[in-house]
Amino acid sequence: MILSIDVSDPKIVKLNLLAQHKIFSHFFECEKNLSEKLALEIEKFLKKEKFKFNSLKKIEVASSHGHFSRIRTAVSTANALNFGLGLKQKLILPSYDKAPNITMAK
């Protein structure tokens, strides 16, 4: 089973599961505090579809577009799950469509 996390929309997070040649989808609104909500939403999604974390074989992050911090949060969560579940997949590296816009403090 493959879990895909898509944070390209600044307000909506899309989760997809590919299991047994079927796609299950879950969307949730999240403009702030994604790091507090993402893992809980993944858990809720898996429970709703009657799957367990240990049935995951691969985790992907669709991260070519989107805000820097949302991409970092999704990639960090995916890598933590990879490590915690003992998946034999390489470290997921973030990809950004532009350089981060970091401003100096006034």
Side-chain angles (χ1 to χ4, degrees):
M1 180 168 58
I2 299 171
L3 171 66
S4 173
I5 304 168
D6 184 348
V7 293
S8 57
D9 187 299
K11 296 180 182 181
I12 304 288
V13 176
K14 302 169 192 164
L15 302 174
N16 290 305
L17 279 172
L18 175 60
Q20 302 150 354
H21 303 292
K22 292 183 183 179
I23 297 176
F24 302 90
S25 297
H26 177 72
F27 304 89
F28 66 97
E29 289 185 35
C30 186
E31 291 185 55
K32 295 182 180 180
N33 303 322
L34 180 62
S35 60
E36 296 174 10
K37 298 176 183 176
L38 184 55
L40 295 172
E41 287 290 333
I42 292 171
E43 181 179 24
K44 182 172 32 170
F45 178 38
L46 289 172
K47 281 184 180 180
K48 177 184 156 212
E49 299 300 340
K50 297 183 173 94
F51 292 112
K52 295 185 180 190
F53 273 105
N54 62 3
S55 61
L56 292 174
K57 302 297 179 214
K58 184 176 181 184
I59 302 172
E60 299 174 342
V61 177
S63 65
S64 60
H65 301 294
H67 293 14
F68 180 81
S69 59
R70 291 172 66 84
I71 294 170
R72 295 285 296 176
T73 299
V75 168
S76 297
T77 302
N79 283 326
L81 287 171
N82 282 333
F83 178 76
L85 295 170
L87 301 180
K88 294 180 178 17
Q89 117 178 38
K90 291 183 180 181
L91 187 70
I92 298 170
L93 299 175
S95 62
Y96 307 105
D97 60 343
K98 58 185 174 183
N101 182 16
I102 300 171
T103 57
M104 299 296 290
K106 294 181 181 180

